[in-house]
Structures are given as C-alpha cells and as structure tokens.
Amino acid sequence: EPEVTQTPSHQVTQMGQEVILRCVPISNHLYFYWYRQILGQKVEFLVSFYNNEISEKSEIFDDQFSVERPDGSNFTLKIRSTKLEDSAMYFCASTESTGQLYEQYFGPGTRLTVT
Amino acid sequence: RKEVEQDPGPFNVPEGATVAFNCTYSNSASQSFFWYRQDCRKEPKLLMSVYSSGNEDGRFTAQLNRASQYISLLIRDSKLSDSATYLCVVPNNAGNMLTFGGGTRLMVKP
C-alpha cells in the first residue's frame, strides 16, 4: 500500500537554527499539507500546497516558515530560526485531489526538539 | 463555541463494551466529517467518513446530526486494540484544510 514517508524521524536543533523537514507524498497525489502537534495538544493545520503554490495557510504559518517542492517527489517544510515553542511533531499529508470527500493520508511524522 | 470540540476522556471500558463519543462543530456549512484514530505518538489514520446522516463499518457506526451540529462515533464489542485517541475532524469548504478536535482517549481493559 502506498504511503507518505518523512525524514528524519527525530530532529534535535538549537534555538535560532534553521531546520528542513522532508516528506515524500504518495506518488500520484497532487495536494500536500503540513500539520503540527505539540505534545499533549491537538493536531493543527499549517499549510496546504498545490501546483507549486500555497493554497491555504494558518496563522501559525508565519514568515519563519516556508514550503517547497524542490523536485518531483519531495515536499519540504523549512523553519528559518527555530524557537523553543516550535518543538512538536510535524506531520506531512497528501491527497490525490481536493474537496471535502478526499481522505488526507498522513506520514509518520518528524519529532522536532528545539533546545 | 470552539470549532471542533470533544470530551477528552479518558473513557475506561471493559472488553466487549459499547462506547460512544460525541463531537460538536461550529461551522454549520460543513458538509463532511471524519473520524481519525491516533495511537500514542503516531500519525492520525482515517477510521470513518461521514457525509450523510451516518455510516457503518463493522463494529463502528458514525452518525451525523446537522441540526444540532454534532457527530457521534459508536464502537460495539470493544477490543483491547481499540485503545487509542479518536479524533473528530472537519474539513473546510475547499477541503484543503482539516480542523481537528482535541481527541477522546479510549482505554479498553481486559
């Protein structure tokens, strides 16, 4: 069964450093997403991406965040200058199309720890 | 009202029990809804979709009450493996953003 993959599984970084989280969506999917989940809290939407453009973003997704599809398979989330409060699990998701009926398939997540 | 609200639990039930979770949502224009399951420190996985009044899949039944803006999930004959957090999820109109509830934790005991 096709699946979304993410690397690394765990990233430790120092405050102020840049991090890039990587995702490989399911191969025939065209819509990509990032969510985060701070430990003990709910899953929160960050951004959706289609056709090399951001289609929706939340208030959390401020100027320190950016997304990119650098090639035909990877989808990345960059955090420019990490803060302690960025420590969370970051989930990538993808769908084959958009609309309320389409399931978003989630990757296993990257645990980001900012020290 | 919060966008998507759930009782956090935990619900502690014996094997074989029937358990029900409720979820309320604020956007009256929402057309479809999802129940995801999340195991500890894992990714959310789709359990059921709800588009009309309800949906049934084996031991799991989801029901939608649009007038009262709530969705329920019923689990019959609980198994130990059902122990997890159940997330109520509402997409926006475009379907490109999911709003999650805080989840309801279920613990099934032998």
Side-chain angles (χ1 to χ4, degrees):
Chain A
E1 184 178 327
E3 56 184 22
V4 177
T5 59
Q6 291 185 242
T7 55
S9 57
H10 189 193
Q11 173 91 47
V12 181
T13 189
Q14 288 190 327
M15 196 167 51
Q17 296 298 303
E18 175 183 286
V19 294
I20 297 176
L21 310 183
R22 302 180 192 281
C23 168
V24 179
I26 294 172
S27 62
N28 63 333
H29 285 188
L30 301 176
Y31 297 81
F32 315 116
Y33 313 87
W34 284 101
Y35 293 82
R36 80 171 186 191
Q37 187 175 30
I38 295 170
L39 187 62
Q41 298 187 22
K42 65 180 182 179
V43 177
E44 299 174 292
F45 170 77
L46 292 177
V47 66
S48 60
F49 189 86
Y50 168 68
N51 199 26
N52 284 319
E53 289 185 351
I54 291 173
S55 56
E56 189 77 49
K57 62 180 181 178
S58 70
E59 291 177 354
I60 303 169
F61 193 87
D62 61 22
D63 291 345
Q64 70 161 342
F65 291 92
S66 62
V67 289
E68 191 179 25
R69 184 138 164 97
D71 53 44
S73 59
N74 289 283
F75 178 51
T76 62
L77 174 70
K78 181 192 288 186
I79 309 175
R80 257 178 277 284
S81 177
T82 50
K83 304 171 188 166
L84 293 176
E85 54 265 37
D86 293 328
S87 294
M89 183 74 97
Y90 288 80
F91 294 108
C92 173
S94 69
T95 55
E96 59 181 305
S97 186
T98 193
Q100 293 194 25
L101 304 182
Y102 287 90
E103 175 187 353
Q104 292 189 17
Y105 293 82
F106 284 78
T110 292
R111 180 172 304 282
L112 177 64
T113 302
V114 182
T115 61
Chain B
R1 175 191 270 185
K2 287 183 185 175
E3 288 189 82
V4 183
E5 196 158 8
Q6 298 180 249
D7 179 345
F11 284 60
N12 293 295
V13 303
E15 268 186 295
T18 295
V19 62
F21 311 133
N22 285 333
C23 165
T24 56
Y25 61 94
S26 61
N27 182 4
S28 59
S30 296
Q31 295 297 310
S32 64
F33 309 87
F34 301 103
W35 282 102
Y36 276 75
R37 169 195 169 125
Q38 185 176 33
D39 293 289
C40 188
R41 297 180 178 241
K42 300 285 188 181
E43 74 272 27
K45 291 188 177 177
L46 182 67
L47 181 66
M48 296 189 76
S49 309
V50 190
Y51 309 128
S52 57
S53 60
N55 190 12
E56 185 171 328
D57 182 4
R59 299 183 294 110
F60 299 86
T61 301
Q63 292 197 315
L64 169 61
N65 184 320
R66 290 190 190 276
S68 301
Q69 292 179 220
Y70 83 77
I71 315 125
S72 64
L73 177 68
L74 183 79
I75 305 175
R76 288 179 295 276
D77 188 24
S78 300
K79 313 288 184 193
L80 295 176
S81 56
D82 293 334
S83 297
T85 297
Y86 291 83
L87 308 174
C88 177
V89 182
V90 182
N92 65 345
N93 291 345
N96 61 359
M97 178 178 80
L98 299 179
T99 299
F100 285 76
T104 298
R105 190 169 171 213
L106 172 66
M107 298 179 69
V108 182
K109 309 272 186 178

